[in-house]
């Protein structure tokens, strides 16, 4: 849904003599843009995971009843299976928080990408109509 309209916009106004070179350049730029875009998204995901981790960790105060109950549930689950059920239970709780930070980071990325797409829609009105 994105590649065909983008290639029509980029190559639609060119003549047959220019089309071969332009198609190659368009392909290179599309691949380069995709690689840079994915690298940027991966970096933003890491930043947002760290941000959400720092927001969620203070909630794991061992004085809270909910945290104590979760650690006790994990300890009961691990009793007899590991040498130190308490530390294993705390590690499992940390893994659970890690999963939540990833989900929140991806939510942020999808929200930002959706906003970028919505903001770019009015730019379509500035395109020149292709006449054949």
């Amino acid at each position: 849904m994105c590649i065909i309209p983008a290639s029509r916009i980029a190559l639609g106004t060119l003549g047959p003599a220019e089309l071969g070179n332009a198609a190659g350049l368009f392909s290179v730029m599309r691949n380069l843009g995709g690689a840079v875009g994915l690298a940027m998204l991966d970096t933003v995901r890491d930043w947002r995971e760290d941000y959400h981790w720092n927001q969620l960790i203070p909630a794991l105060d061992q004085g809270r009843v909910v945290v104590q109950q979760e650690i006790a549930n994990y300890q009961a689950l691990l009793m007899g299976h590991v040498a130190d059920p308490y530390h294993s239970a705390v590690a499992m709780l940390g893994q659970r928080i890690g999963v939540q930070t990833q989900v929140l980071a991806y939510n942020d990325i999808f929200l930002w990408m959706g906003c970028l797409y919505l903001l770019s829609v009015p730019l379509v009105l500035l395109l020149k109509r292709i006449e054949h």
Side-chain angles (χ1 to χ4, degrees), residues 35-101:
V36 169
L38 286 175
M40 287 174 50
L41 285 177
D42 193 44
T43 301
V44 169
R45 180 187 51 88
D46 287 342
W47 289 344
R48 296 307 293 176
E49 279 184 32
D50 291 343
Y51 170 78
H52 288 298
W53 179 269
N54 290 329
Q55 296 297 314
L56 292 177
I57 285 300
L60 290 182
D61 180 11
Q62 288 194 358
R64 293 184 61 199
V65 175
V66 174
V67 174
Q68 292 172 356
Q69 288 173 342
E70 285 300 312
I71 290 174
N73 289 342
Y74 283 138
Q75 273 185 293
L77 181 70
L78 296 169
M79 195 65 68
H81 298 289
V82 295
D84 188 1
Y86 175 77
H87 285 100
S88 297
V90 171
M92 287 179 71
L93 196 57
Q95 287 176 344
R96 198 163 137 191
I97 295 298
V99 168
Q100 293 305 312
T101 61

